[in-house]
Amino acid sequence: MPKILVVGGGYAGFYTAWKLEKHLRQGEAEVVMVDPLPYMTYQPFLPEVAAGSIEPRHAIVSHRRHLKKTRVVTAKVTKVDHATRTATITPELGEPWEETYDQIVMTAGAVSRTFPIAGVADEAIGLKTIEEAAAIRDKVLTNFAKAVNLPAGPERDRLLTVVVVGGGFAGIEVFAELRSFVTDLLKSYPQIAFEDTHFHLVEAMGRIMPEVSLETSHWVLENLAQRGATVHLETQLASAVGGVCQLKAKDESIETIESDLIIWTAGVMANPMVKGTDFPLEPRGRITVQPDLRIVDEGTVVPDAWACGDVAAVPDLTGGGVGGMCVPNAQHAVRQAKQLAKNLVAVLRNEATVEYKHENLGAVAGLGVGIGVFQSGKFAMKGFLAWGAHRGYHGLAMPSWERKIRVVSDWVGGFFLGRDIASLDDRETPRAAFEAWASRPKPATADEPKAVDAAAPAEGTPAGAAGPAYATPAEDVSKEAAPVDGEKVAAKSE
């Protein structure tokens, strides 16, 4: 039975495996999917997770729960030698092993792309993973709890300032969602005024959201300004050392803003793991493929090899893509994966493949509760209806009814009950509370005997016999107590 190895379990990888399960006949092929994470993240929901509108676990899809016929391997693929049809799989624990395959599908996705700007690697956080989104939410809540106890001043301002770098869809959405979240949060913090909170977005280009029309992008800018959020166009982040953001404008002027939360959304790049393969790469580091999603090397098909999603340079047959290629987004990744699964099954059955072609359905973005934008061609919709379209589209696009129900339940609960504003920031150090009060053995001195292992029974005591249940942690006084005379105790009790 031929083995299909799917490298990556994000949008493209998950959907490829999911659809292969649907299209393959019983015993026709074995599907193996490898990813270091045990779930797929529905990334369009990350801004709402950061803003507390969706619970983090509800924006992910468990691999093992939903891929019933696929062998799921939670590990990294660190090397692919397609010439020998082997992949090196490296688990977090244990020794790496070589996995052989007959067909391979490269869907390793993308990672955040940063520039060598001082302080960014140390101070900023991205928005590509569910962990990052949840951490952003908790950071906002924790900073509010700290700021409310401080007098007005630089330290308080720093805690109540959010800086987002990047004016694409991801940047604008998380920027606007957090503005909405913080405005709502002020009801629970009467000591903090609206004017005390500061939001700054930095964009190097002269406009935001290139996926929508210029008119629509201007409406977004005006809406954000009305809500107290500042967008710095034609401005670059020059430094972020120590959380001190130096914004360099087009006229070379420098503006300094201190922030305790810097979010980086200025671009992505193909997963660098593709450099550990023998597949052809284009200048941007993506695997070259032809329209039917088979990997090609200078026009020659590489047998038994496929790729799609953010890691692949897929020709856009509609002519609308940047540089003639499909833009790396969820809309393309999901549809490419579905077509790839059909084409792979067709090849196994010696049938013809179909080229991938997808007309852009438009772009939709949520800008906080009750506000959104939608653009399809020249048609644009703004405000509440666009927000409804955003939630409707992504609610339906979320894989499986189980996930859809959980997300919609969050929205309904938020409408009637409001957002949960409890921070779980301490989960990053879950043992801190235990360690703070845990007693430790006193260091032995030269005159004291070496401490006996607490787990070992005392000499002459049967294994399993109970010792003192609650001895004084710092000093076990039981050894110093005088022996008890049983007969005297019995007489007193009479």
Side-chain angles (χ1 to χ4, degrees):
M1 182 166 59
K3 181 191 293 184
I4 303 170
L5 177 64
V6 181
V7 180
Y11 280 126
F14 175 83
Y15 270 94
T16 297
W18 205 25
K19 295 305 175 182
L20 282 173
E21 288 188 350
K22 176 181 178 181
H23 299 309
L24 288 169
R25 304 186 185 109
Q26 182 70 31
E28 189 172 13
E30 176 190 3
V31 181
V32 180
M33 189 182 75
V34 185
D35 192 275
L37 296 175
Y39 52 79
M40 181 208 89
T41 302
Y42 192 75
Q43 292 184 10
F45 282 155
L46 293 183
E48 290 199 58
V49 171
S53 294
I54 297 176
E55 282 300 305
R57 281 188 176 85
H58 297 171
I60 61 177
V61 182
S62 169
H63 290 156
R64 295 183 184 275
R65 177 165 186 166
H66 295 279
L67 297 176
K68 303 295 186 181
K69 303 175 184 177
T70 299
R71 178 161 72 92
V72 175
V73 180
T74 305
K76 293 180 180 179
V77 174
T78 51
K79 182 181 178 182
V80 175
D81 185 357
H82 190 62
T84 60
R85 303 297 193 274
T86 58
T88 302
I89 298 179
T90 305
E92 186 174 358
L93 293 176
E95 295 297 321
W97 74 88
E98 301 293 324
E99 185 83 21
T100 60
Y101 61 84
D102 298 286
Q103 300 275 345
I104 189 169
V105 181
M106 297 297 299
T107 55
V111 298
S112 294
R113 179 193 63 184
T114 59
F115 305 106
I117 301 171
V120 168
D122 300 317
E123 303 292 339
I125 186 172
L127 191 67
K128 284 289 292 179
T129 69
I130 196 68
E131 293 83 2
E132 289 171 328
I136 290 170
R137 170 187 176 274
D138 287 337
K139 187 72 169 177
V140 170
L141 293 170
T142 299
N143 283 357
F144 257 69
K146 292 177 180 178
V148 75
N149 296 321
L150 295 174
E155 189 175 3
R156 192 173 192 256
D157 289 342
R158 178 189 173 104
L159 292 170
L160 298 176
T161 298
V162 175
V163 173
V164 176
V165 184
F169 253 62
I172 290 295
E173 284 192 286
V174 73
F175 187 61
E177 287 283 359
L178 288 178
R179 176 70 269 185
S180 172
F181 181 35
V182 166
T183 300
D184 190 47
L185 196 59
L186 292 173
K187 293 182 294 186
S188 301
Y189 289 87
Q191 302 92 335
I192 299 176
F194 179 87
E195 294 75 18
D196 295 333
T197 61
H198 312 283
F199 280 75
H200 298 271
L201 183 137
V202 184
E203 170 54 47
M205 304 297 291
R207 60 162 298 177
I208 60 170
M209 304 174 75
E211 298 88 348
V212 302
S213 69
L214 192 60
E215 180 185 354
T216 301
S217 72
H218 285 165
W219 182 89
V220 174
L221 289 173
E222 292 173 4
N223 179 267
L224 290 171
Q226 292 169 4
R227 295 158 61 187
T230 304
V231 177
H232 304 263
L233 295 178
E234 297 184 317
T235 303
Q236 297 181 358
L237 178 65
S239 174
V241 176
V244 179
C245 298
Q246 294 184 354
L247 310 186
K248 185 178 180 180
K250 189 177 181 180
D251 61 2
E252 301 296 323
S253 62
I254 299 291
E255 180 180 358
T256 300
I257 298 170
E258 289 196 42
S259 173
D260 200 49
L261 178 55
I262 304 169
I263 304 170
W264 181 274
T265 65
V268 296
M269 64 180 181
N271 195 321
M273 70 79 54
V274 298
K275 297 177 182 178
T277 73
D278 52 358
F279 295 124
L281 306 179
E282 45 97 68
R284 295 182 62 185
R286 297 178 296 179
I287 299 173
T288 56
V289 302
Q290 64 182 21
D292 68 355
L293 305 171
R294 284 187 281 191
I295 296 176
V296 291
D297 187 359
E298 296 183 351
T300 302
V301 173
V302 177
D304 309 324
W306 308 75
C308 70
D310 294 354
V311 81
V314 181
D316 189 344
L317 300 183
T318 67
V322 179
M325 300 295 170
C326 295
V327 295
N329 61 23
Q331 191 176 136
H332 279 300
V334 170
R335 287 165 177 81
Q336 288 169 7
K338 293 178 179 179
Q339 187 60 59
L340 190 154
K342 291 179 181 178
N343 284 348
L344 202 161
V345 172
V347 167
L348 293 178
R349 298 172 184 171
N350 295 317
E351 299 172 356
T353 61
V354 176
E355 293 182 339
Y356 172 76
K357 183 179 180 180
H358 171 65
E359 294 285 351
N360 187 9
L361 297 177
V364 61
L367 304 176
V369 176
I371 307 170
V373 292
F374 170 76
Q375 182 87 44
S376 180
K378 295 182 179 180
F379 174 75
M381 187 164 54
K382 313 173 188 76
F384 183 81
L385 291 179
W387 174 74
H390 161 76
R391 286 199 164 180
Y393 172 79
H394 288 297
L396 291 174
M398 187 68 173
S400 85
W401 281 104
E402 180 258 340
R403 292 286 97 181
K404 288 178 173 66
I405 291 171
R406 291 184 188 273
V407 170
V408 173
S409 296
D410 286 340
W411 289 337
V412 173
F415 179 79
F416 287 104
L417 305 174
R419 305 184 231 212
D420 196 322
I421 60 171
S423 171
L424 296 179
D425 205 19
D426 287 342
R427 78 184 185 286
E428 301 296 330
T429 54
R431 295 188 66 252
F434 176 80
E435 289 179 323
W437 301 104
S439 58
R440 291 175 171 81
K442 296 169 63 177
T445 64
D447 299 331
E448 292 180 350
K450 188 177 180 180
V452 179
D453 184 1
E459 186 176 352
T461 304
Y470 294 101
T472 304
E475 182 179 359
D476 188 349
V477 299
S478 61
K479 295 180 181 178
E480 301 177 2
V484 179
D485 189 323
E487 294 181 358
K488 291 182 178 181
V489 173
K492 289 181 179 181
S493 63
E494 294 174 356

